[in-house]
Amino acid sequence: MAKLKHLLSKYLIKIIPIEETYFIKTQIPDIKLNKDIVLLNYGSLSPFTNGDAVFYKDKKNLYMWFTKNKIDSKKIYIPEGFLVYKTHKKQNNSIIIKNIQKNNQGIVIIRDGVLIAQFCKRNLENEYIELLKKEYSLTNPEIIRADNSQEYEVNIDDILKFSHSLNINMQSIITKTYEELKVPAIILLLLVNIFNISIYEYTNSMVSKKKTELRTIEQLNEKIKKQFGTLEKKSGFFKEFMNSELKYPNLYIILSAITSSVLKNKGKITLYRQSGNLIDMWVVSNSPSSIVNSLMSTGYFSSVDVISIAQFLDDRTKEVGHLELRMKAINYDR
């Protein structure tokens, strides 16, 4: 959009400075006008001998700017006074002062949001500003000192406003714009194509390089996959061996857990027999049930069953317990 505005400003639009125009506003009926009719009816009001005119109208008023020089039919001319008014029209009542030269100021007057006057004045003084307030019936107007470095915003509505009011040969505008933009456009297209070709070559080069890297990685992965396959076979063999041959905790661990539980409860083992994961055991203790609880808390047994309990004949304070223990199988798959 910024490039489009730049092109429009350069090739299609020309802003006429305030000092090169003479402004008139008058009430007219809501009728269609062209430049010939405007010049015929109002051309005598122009202070310029060999000038021209631009204008636009709304439903009530005709706004005319007589120009000091002839205008080019291949461009759209927009008065600076109109752009100053458009910039500040939100201030319903205002006097805008813009320095043109050292002792010359351009003045734009807005009343109730409508442009009512535009002219130039030398050696502007405060007394003259007071006279303007009275002349144009302005109550407490805002006095605005316009910035000379300000760039005016020209939009499509502005272009249509002044292009429709002028007898512009739109075909000549299109032809001129096309001719002036043709060479830059061709150069731009060539640069874009060169850039696209460069990107294409770079992309192909990167794709080729990545394919080579991918093949190298795939070859390395094949070797790693083979090693993993061998390791998985070995792992499977050892798991199967442990599940079949080392299914239960070794004898040392089991005996250590049993003797610790018995001694902790001040008992002793009178008989011990083992077959597979089943242990048949007789104990003498003050409380064989306490030994059962201790054995279960070790975590090595899936069950500890009390087959029988009887009074110990040699010591009436103790009991003889017949216990049956089943060892837990070790899960090597976790």
Side-chain angles (χ1 to χ4, degrees):
M1 184 60 70
K3 290 182 178 179
L4 177 59
K5 287 183 178 179
H6 174 73
L7 290 173
L8 286 173
S9 299
K10 183 176 180 181
Y11 297 108
L12 189 60
I13 299 167
K14 183 172 178 60
I15 297 173
I16 316 171
I18 289 177
E19 63 270 24
E20 295 181 10
T21 61
Y22 178 76
F23 173 75
I24 290 178
K25 169 182 166 289
T26 183
Q27 289 186 344
I28 62 167
D30 188 12
I31 59 174
K32 289 186 178 181
L33 294 175
N34 58 40
K35 188 166 72 171
D36 292 336
I37 294 175
V38 169
L39 289 175
L40 179 64
N41 287 275
Y42 302 101
S44 60
L45 301 176
S46 173
F48 306 116
T49 305
N50 296 313
D52 214 323
V54 293
F55 69 93
Y56 77 91
K57 63 177 287 296
D58 54 27
K59 292 183 178 181
K60 294 182 179 180
N61 300 303
L62 172 65
Y63 304 86
M64 294 174 289
W65 284 264
F66 294 107
T67 64
K68 186 176 180 180
N69 303 304
K70 288 290 184 181
I71 62 176
D72 184 356
S73 65
K74 295 180 180 179
K75 289 193 175 183
I76 296 173
Y77 284 73
I78 299 178
E80 183 183 14
F82 167 79
L83 295 174
V84 171
Y85 154 70
K86 191 185 78 166
T87 303
H88 299 284
K89 68 179 180 180
K90 288 184 179 179
Q91 287 82 18
N92 286 331
N93 296 287
S94 57
I95 299 174
I96 301 101
I97 301 169
K98 182 179 184 297
N99 287 330
I100 298 173
Q101 295 173 346
K102 186 175 182 180
N103 296 316
N104 194 19
Q105 286 81 34
I107 298 173
V108 175
I109 297 176
I110 302 172
R111 185 179 65 207
D112 298 329
V114 177
L115 173 63
I116 60 172
Q118 173 220 295
F119 52 88
C120 293
K121 179 71 172 70
R122 290 186 179 276
N123 301 317
L124 181 64
E125 298 176 350
N126 290 333
E127 291 79 1
Y128 185 74
I129 294 175
E130 293 301 320
L131 290 174
L132 291 177
K133 293 178 183 179
K134 293 178 181 178
E135 180 180 354
Y136 293 102
S137 303
L138 298 172
T139 304
N140 297 322
E142 186 172 355
I143 310 301
I144 301 171
R145 301 281 178 176
D147 185 0
N148 286 352
S149 63
Q150 181 179 7
E151 292 186 3
Y152 299 111
E153 183 74 20
V154 178
N155 57 35
I156 297 299
D157 288 338
D158 301 332
I159 294 170
L160 293 176
K161 190 186 295 288
F162 285 94
S163 66
H164 288 171
S165 64
L166 296 173
N167 296 331
I168 295 176
N169 185 345
M170 295 306 293
Q171 182 64 40
S172 66
I173 290 176
I174 294 170
T175 302
K176 182 178 181 348
T177 305
Y178 170 75
E179 291 298 329
E180 291 184 346
L181 292 179
K182 182 166 62 175
V183 173
I186 291 172
I187 294 173
L188 178 62
L189 288 174
L190 285 173
L191 291 175
V192 169
N193 285 334
I194 291 170
F195 176 76
N196 287 338
I197 291 170
S198 299
I199 291 294
Y200 176 77
E201 292 295 334
Y202 173 76
T203 304
N204 278 347
S205 174
M206 290 300 296
V207 168
S208 178
K209 182 179 178 181
K210 293 303 178 183
K211 283 183 177 179
T212 302
E213 292 177 357
L214 180 61
R215 283 195 294 270
T216 303
I217 293 171
E218 286 175 345
Q219 291 172 357
L220 292 173
N221 283 344
E222 282 297 322
K223 294 180 181 179
I224 294 171
K225 284 180 180 178
K226 289 180 180 179
Q227 292 176 354
F228 270 120
T230 303
L231 291 173
E232 284 178 354
K233 288 179 181 179
K234 290 181 179 179
S235 174
F237 168 78
F238 283 112
K239 281 183 180 180
E240 186 177 346
F241 174 79
M242 288 186 292
N243 285 330
S244 59
E245 303 298 327
L246 304 174
K247 190 173 183 179
Y248 302 103
N250 62 58
L251 182 61
Y252 173 79
I253 292 174
I254 293 300
L255 289 176
S256 176
I258 291 172
T259 54
S260 294
S261 297
V262 173
L263 289 174
K264 185 166 63 175
N265 292 280
K266 297 178 181 180
K268 64 179 180 179
I269 300 171
T270 58
L271 178 67
Y272 181 91
R273 289 180 296 199
Q274 181 176 347
S275 175
N277 71 323
L278 183 64
I279 297 173
D280 186 48
M281 184 173 72
W282 291 76
V283 295
V284 177
S285 171
N286 292 336
S287 176
S289 60
S290 297
I291 296 175
V292 171
N293 293 333
S294 295
L295 289 170
M296 286 300 296
S297 66
T298 63
Y300 292 117
F301 306 100
S302 59
S303 65
V304 178
D305 298 324
V306 179
I307 304 302
S308 65
I309 293 178
Q311 194 174 39
F312 186 45
L313 297 177
D314 295 341
D315 186 348
R316 298 288 182 176
T317 63
K318 298 183 182 296
E319 293 177 329
V320 178
H322 179 196
L323 307 179
E324 189 175 85
L325 293 70
R326 292 187 181 276
M327 291 185 290
K328 281 184 181 179
I330 299 173
N331 186 4
Y332 291 102
D333 294 328
R334 290 183 296 179

